[in-house]
Amino acid sequence: MNEPIGMQVVGPSPQRVYQRDAMGLAEVTYSLRLSLPASGKVEMRSAMDSAWVMAGLIRDQDSFDGAFTRLSTGSHFLQFRIRDGLTEDFIAETQVEPVFVGDLWILAGQSNMQGCGTLLEVENPMEGVSCFYLDDRWGIAEDPMCWYFEAVDPVHWSVPEEKLLEERLKERQTRTRGAGLGISFGKELLRNTGIPIGLIVCAHGGTRMTQWDPALRGQEGHSLYGSMMRRVKATGGKVKGCLWYQGESDANLELATMYAKRMEHFVQCLREDLQEPQLPFIYAQLAHFHSWDKQNESWWDFIQHEQLRLEQILGACALVSTADATLSDPIHLDASSLKVIGKRFAWQALRLAYGESRPTGPRPSFFTWNANRMELTVHITGMNGSLQQVDRAFGFQIELEDRVCLPIESTLSVDRQAVLLRFDQIIPYTAKLQYGTGYYPALNLRDDLGIPMTLFGPVDVP
């Protein structure tokens, strides 16, 4: 009696997502390995009810490589079998599922993209939202998605290589934080489009823009940018877009003034290296920060305004407001807020990458004074509907040369498309307006969908 022959799929692995092309198709390559050499016809199909297709012949071989050249967007059940060329008897068969054709998104930046919410409130996994983990393994996306001691790339290690195994085991047993925004983002896209989503996690907590310098790409896995590009290449080399949450580590005297230039360079290089000049880039504005040390508070404001200003510079981008987020510790968003922020990222992705007509969320548009310069109208754009009704709009102040001037009244216009600020003095032409000053400002402006207005300023209001 002939010994039974086993066959396994070496690749693709279950839960993998292949980036679809403009026609919604992807080539999915596969590798089969047999326990013993065999001869016969290799057949394949991509669904239980589809016809078998001849893939090739093997002659006394223990492996076979092939491809589905035009798999459509969606979930696929890949089956393979080998039949004797003369008798048509089955020699071996195997399968792998689910394998998806959909869209890949990079998740990069620092700890609020990594995810630091408690694991008591995680977003539940959903079939069709997958993750390419830091150990270069595909799986259904579930928090925590970032396990640095398990990473392939040394840039993510914080201990010598010989201690990695010990730290991996310890972290798996003791970790209590790691809920992020990625799964909420993926689920919201999947619900709205039906397109499977793959998340390529690349974020690393506490990192500055200088650590994401594209000039370090040649260091590959020893630099953050090099690691990101290596991982994109490992997943096929094409992505739908990039999500970014970073800036906390640059909000200081040493780094803040170069933040916008470094961001612009980063996005430009990312698009050039991926050969996607209009690659959607969606990024968060800094949220709150609890700190008694006010030394860098003005630089926090500065970064927030630069992030808003970059929206007019980067092209094919969107800023996501986080002004209403609540925190799990002095600087990290909690799990419930990250779920909401993840959806906001998805809404902007639907606008930028999927052609849906969706507002950006509230942003300042332009400013007008009355005749005696004692009443300023802040016109708002990008709203879902209008601003939610409030008796008093918190968060605005005017900076004069020698002091700060607060409005004595701050109300909404009748149509709730603008904010009216009234002062008890004539405001000079040199004054500047700011919305949301300091680490933890009191704010209450949001649109009908609940998206808060972006922080801004100080800006000229001539």
Side-chain angles (χ1 to χ4, degrees), residues 18 21 29 58 82-83 96 99 125 176 192 218 237 294 298 343 363-364 369 392 417 435 440-441:
Y18 286 82
D21 62 18
T29 59
I58 57 173
I82 300 175
R83 300 205 303 176
V96 59
V99 174
T176 61
N192 280 272
K294 305 298 184 181
S298 64
K343 288 183 179 180
R363 281 126 169 78
W369 286 98
R392 174 188 172 191
Q417 302 292 308
Y435 175 70
Y440 208 89

Side-chain angles (χ1 to χ4, degrees), residues 345-365:
F345 269 91
W347 297 338
Q348 294 311 305
L350 289 168
R351 179 176 66 87
L352 286 176
Y354 298 94
E356 292 195 11
S357 178
R358 288 178 177 254
T360 60
R363 281 126 169 78
S365 178

Side-chain angles (χ1 to χ4, degrees), residues 15 41 44 99 131 145 166 194 214 305 313 408:
Q15 302 294 336
K41 297 188 295 185
M44 65 182 190
V99 174
C131 179
M145 291 197 293
E166 176 186 346
H305 184 68
I313 297 172
I408 59 172

Side-chain angles (χ1 to χ4, degrees), residues 444-460:
N444 63 345
L445 291 182
R446 62 184 67 198
D447 67 15
D448 288 335
L449 194 58
I451 300 178
M453 189 160 87
T454 54
L455 310 180
F456 69 88
V459 295
D460 294 327

Side-chain angles (χ1 to χ4, degrees), residues 34-302:
L34 282 66
S35 59
L36 293 170
S39 299
K41 297 188 295 185
V42 181
E43 297 176 327
M44 65 182 190
R45 64 179 182 180
S46 60
M48 287 289 289
D49 57 354
S50 63
W52 287 96
V53 176
M54 176 78 166
L57 298 171
I58 57 173
R59 293 180 176 84
D60 197 28
Q61 296 170 230
D62 62 2
S63 65
F64 182 84
D65 296 335
F68 294 87
T69 57
R70 291 173 61 82
L71 279 189
S72 60
T73 299
S75 176
H76 297 276
F77 179 89
L78 306 184
Q79 277 188 296
F80 309 92
R81 68 186 185 187
I82 300 175
R83 300 205 303 176
D84 188 284
L86 296 176
T87 67
E88 297 292 319
D89 292 340
F90 293 113
I91 296 174
E93 59 183 325
T94 191
Q95 63 195 40
V96 59
E97 56 105 14
V99 174
F100 301 104
V101 174
D103 286 333
L104 301 177
W105 287 83
I106 297 169
L107 276 59
Q110 55 183 113
S111 52
N112 276 314
M113 182 60 78
Q114 165 196 335
C116 292
T118 63
L119 298 177
L120 300 174
E121 307 173 78
V122 296
E123 183 77 38
N124 291 325
M126 176 182 281
E127 188 85 349
V129 179
S130 297
C131 179
F132 189 56
Y133 292 95
L134 291 172
D135 58 358
D136 284 8
R137 169 183 54 87
W138 279 101
I140 193 167
E142 54 185 337
D143 285 326
M145 291 197 293
C146 290
W147 296 89
Y148 293 138
F149 297 121
E150 299 175 15
V152 169
D153 293 326
V155 68
H156 294 295
W157 305 344
S158 58
V159 298
E161 187 171 4
E162 60 269 19
K163 291 186 176 292
L164 285 176
L165 179 58
E166 176 186 346
E167 293 298 328
R168 288 170 189 167
L169 295 174
K170 184 189 304 182
E171 188 176 40
R172 284 286 178 178
Q173 294 170 351
T174 62
R175 190 167 182 181
T176 61
R177 294 180 181 270
L181 62 85
I183 298 172
S184 173
F185 166 81
K187 288 170 68 173
E188 187 72 4
L189 281 189
L190 180 61
R191 290 191 194 101
N192 280 272
T193 66
I195 298 168
I197 300 298
L199 307 173
I200 306 173
V201 291
C202 302
H204 194 107
T207 51
R208 307 176 300 277
M209 283 306 303
T210 52
Q211 293 172 271
W212 287 93
D213 189 349
L216 303 177
R217 62 170 68 82
Q219 296 180 16
E220 297 185 332
H222 292 271
S223 76
L224 290 169
Y225 190 90
S227 171
M228 177 178 66
M229 296 309 298
R230 184 199 67 77
R231 287 172 53 72
V232 170
K233 184 177 180 180
T235 58
K238 293 288 185 180
V239 298
K240 190 68 172 180
C242 179
L243 309 186
W244 179 262
Y245 198 141
Q246 192 275 340
E248 296 92 337
S249 293
D250 289 77
N252 54 64
L253 174 63
E254 178 187 0
L255 299 172
T257 56
M258 290 299 295
Y259 182 77
K261 288 287 187 184
R262 287 174 175 144
M263 272 284 287
E264 188 176 357
H265 180 63
F266 173 85
V267 175
Q268 178 185 356
C269 289
L270 178 63
R271 289 169 171 166
E272 289 176 354
D273 289 341
L274 295 177
Q275 299 180 15
E276 291 287 350
Q278 294 299 309
L279 183 80
F281 187 82
I282 307 171
Y283 61 107
Q285 189 173 43
L286 292 189
H288 304 312
F289 179 25
H290 286 304
S291 176
W292 294 110
D293 182 1
K294 305 298 184 181
Q295 180 180 356
N296 290 316
E297 191 171 39
S298 64
W299 294 113
W300 195 268
D301 296 339
F302 182 87

